[in-house]
């Protein structure tokens, strides 16, 4: 691998709190090592169009506390084609960019891996997604912030639930995994948590709600992961409970994208900083096709292919804790 003199940094896929902090870390680690850094606007689409900006240590001041990504993110149909990737490669070479740091999820990493395989272009990944669904790290950027955002809102909803003796079904994000739902459910004191990894079943849900009623609970919170496998979405669940337990006054709240917004937590800011430093230093050591991750509070690297194809594991102990806490 030729000596790296300039690194490009981009954000791709869904935004997540901590992405700006990670960009800042990449840029300042480049400055510390006396190499250039370029920001790539709008992910792979911006790469194809050559939408680059030169970044130095002062360019990224005041962004560590900002949510979202100032480099923007966009889907790119063009990058899915060989011609589009060739154009992207030509644009990078024209701008004298020697390596890439890609901040995103599995789709972004899949594109980076393919790009490396076709052109031998050095790439490093930083996992940025609130879903925490990437193998090779215990925490992705934005996950901790999303948990705190959700718990804060659910605490407010509980005030209303208690005042009116209501049952609330609250849907949280997470796509096909239940990390957010499980942790938020325990943190917010939910009576039940519905996640894709554990098919609770509608009958058990009714039994649980009946038991709660009999033990004196006047209000209940049920957290539903958006990928839950009961076969019903959160509004259908409301109708189902209304039909079988008419004594409940049921409401639905879908938290949606508010979980992805806002200022990143201290944990996410520190994690982003550590990951950004590791990504740049790994490239400068001649490493490529790796994703930076956090394992047992140590910053480690995992092959991109393993991170993409692997599955993040749900914490079985948390499921047991949830069952005990919901008594």
């Amino acid at each position: 691998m030729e000596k790296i003199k300039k690194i490009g940094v981009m954000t791709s896929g869904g935004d997540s709190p901590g992405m700006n902090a990670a960009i800042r870390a990449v840029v300042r680690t480049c400055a510390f090592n006396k190499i250039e850094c370029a920001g790539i606007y709008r992910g792979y689409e911006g790469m194809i169009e050559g939408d680059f900006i030169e970044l130095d240590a002062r360019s990224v001041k005041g962004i560590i506390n900002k949510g979202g990504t100032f480099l923007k993110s966009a889907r790119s149909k063009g990058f899915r084609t060989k011609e589009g990737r060739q154009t992207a490669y030509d644009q990078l070479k024209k701008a004298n960019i020697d390596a890439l740091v890609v901040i995103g999820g599995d789709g972004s990493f899949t594109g980076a891996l393919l790009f490396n395989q076709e052109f031998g272009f050095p790439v490093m990944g930083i996992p940025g997604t609130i879903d925490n669904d990437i193998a090779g790290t215990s925490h992705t950027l934005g996950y901790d912030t999303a948990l705190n955002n959700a718990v804060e809102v659910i605490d407010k909803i509980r005030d209303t639930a208690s005042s009116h003796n209501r049952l609330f079904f609250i849907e949280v994000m997470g796509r096909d995994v239940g990390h957010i739902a499980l942790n938020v459910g325990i943190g917010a004191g939910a009576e039940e948590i519905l996640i894709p990894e554990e098919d609770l079943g509608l009958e058990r849900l009714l039994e649980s709600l009946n038991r709660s009623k009999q033990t004196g609970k006047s209000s209940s919170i049920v957290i539903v992961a958006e990928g839950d496998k009961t076969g019903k979405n959160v509004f259908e669940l409301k109708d189902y409970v209304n039909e079988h337990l008419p004594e409940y006054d049921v409401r639905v709240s879908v938290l949606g994208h508010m979980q992805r917004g806002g200022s990143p937590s201290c944990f996410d800011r520190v994690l982003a900083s550590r990951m950004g430093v590791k990504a740049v230093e790994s490239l400068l050591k001649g490493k490529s096709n790796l994703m930076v991750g956090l394992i047992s509070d140590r910053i480690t690297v995992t092959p991109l292919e393993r991170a993409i194809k692997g599955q993040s594991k749900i914490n079985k102990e948390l499921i047991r804790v949830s069952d005990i806490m919901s008594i």
Side-chain angles (χ1 to χ4, degrees):
M1 184 186 293
E2 295 182 7
K3 184 178 179 181
I4 291 175
K5 298 178 182 178
K6 188 174 185 179
I7 291 176
V9 59
M10 57 176 275
T11 49
S12 179
D15 65 289
S16 63
M19 281 185 163
N20 280 326
I23 296 166
R24 173 181 180 270
V26 168
V27 173
R28 292 198 168 174
T29 307
C30 286
F32 182 83
N33 286 280
K34 296 180 171 54
I35 63 171
E36 295 180 80
C37 187
I40 301 169
Y41 280 117
R42 296 177 294 111
Y44 291 118
E45 191 68 13
M47 193 187 302
I48 292 172
E49 296 176 6
D51 194 1
F52 307 148
I53 181 175
E54 299 297 318
L55 297 173
D56 60 25
R58 300 285 74 80
S59 301
V60 289
K61 67 179 182 180
I63 68 169
I64 193 171
N65 60 319
K66 305 293 185 185
T69 163
F70 89 93
L71 288 179
K72 311 298 182 185
S73 185
R75 297 188 183 278
S76 177
K77 291 183 179 179
F79 198 78
R80 295 177 182 271
T81 68
K82 180 68 181 289
E83 295 75 20
R85 294 189 294 273
Q86 179 67 59
T87 301
Y89 176 76
D90 293 340
Q91 293 281 20
L92 292 174
K93 298 308 287 185
K94 182 180 176 181
N96 297 316
I97 296 173
D98 305 311
L100 278 177
V101 175
V102 178
I103 307 168
D106 54 359
S108 305
F109 294 162
T110 299
L113 186 60
L114 181 59
F115 192 66
N116 173 269
Q117 291 168 346
E118 290 179 346
F119 302 102
F121 203 87
V123 295
M124 287 290 297
I126 294 178
T129 166
I130 68 166
D131 297 338
N132 206 42
D133 59 349
I134 303 289
T137 185
S138 62
H139 290 72
T140 55
L141 290 185
Y143 174 54
D144 183 72
T145 304
L147 295 181
N148 287 303
N149 286 344
V151 166
E152 183 179 353
V153 174
I154 293 167
D155 284 347
K156 292 179 172 66
I157 291 173
R158 185 176 285 282
D159 291 343
T160 292
S162 300
S163 298
H164 296 275
N165 295 338
R166 284 175 177 162
L167 163 63
F168 268 87
F169 282 107
I170 301 176
E171 182 184 275
V172 297
M173 297 179 87
R175 201 167 59 173
D176 300 320
V177 292
H179 295 293
I180 292 178
L182 185 55
N183 282 270
V184 162
I186 294 174
E191 280 64 43
E192 283 293 348
I193 305 168
L194 307 184
I195 59 176
E197 293 85 353
E198 296 283 316
D199 191 354
L200 177 66
L202 294 172
E203 289 306 315
R204 187 187 144 182
L205 174 62
L206 293 179
E207 289 173 10
S208 175
L209 293 174
N210 262 323
R211 186 171 63 249
S212 295
K213 204 78 167 172
Q214 290 165 7
T215 57
K217 287 186 179 180
S218 58
S219 64
S220 292
I221 298 286
V222 177
I223 304 298
V224 184
E226 60 184 351
D228 174 58
K229 293 179 179 175
T230 56
K232 296 180 180 292
N233 68 33
V234 68
F235 293 99
E236 290 173 324
L237 283 172
K238 170 186 179 295
D239 294 338
Y240 184 84
V241 170
N242 274 334
E243 179 184 348
H244 291 85
L245 297 175
E247 65 271 22
Y248 269 108
D249 183 9
V250 188
R251 294 291 188 273
V252 168
S253 183
V254 178
L255 299 193
H257 287 77
M258 71 173 68
Q259 294 158 90
R260 288 212 319 224
S263 183
S265 65
C266 180
F267 180 91
D268 275 328
R269 298 183 199 191
V270 174
L271 180 61
S273 301
R274 295 174 72 187
M275 286 181 167
V277 170
K278 183 71 171 181
V280 172
E281 290 182 345
S282 296
L283 285 170
L284 295 180
K285 289 176 182 177
K287 298 179 180 179
S288 179
N289 285 7
L290 299 172
M291 183 200 76
V292 181
L294 181 71
I295 301 292
S296 300
D297 200 36
R298 290 182 60 250
I299 297 296
T300 61
V301 291
T302 300
L304 273 179
E305 189 170 13
R306 189 184 305 166
I308 294 165
K309 293 183 177 179
Q311 288 188 329
S312 57
K313 299 290 192 297
I314 205 76
N315 189 329
K316 295 291 186 180
E317 182 194 2
L318 288 182
I319 295 175
R320 190 173 71 86
V321 169
S322 170
D323 288 340
I324 294 171
M325 291 298 100
S326 65
I327 190 170

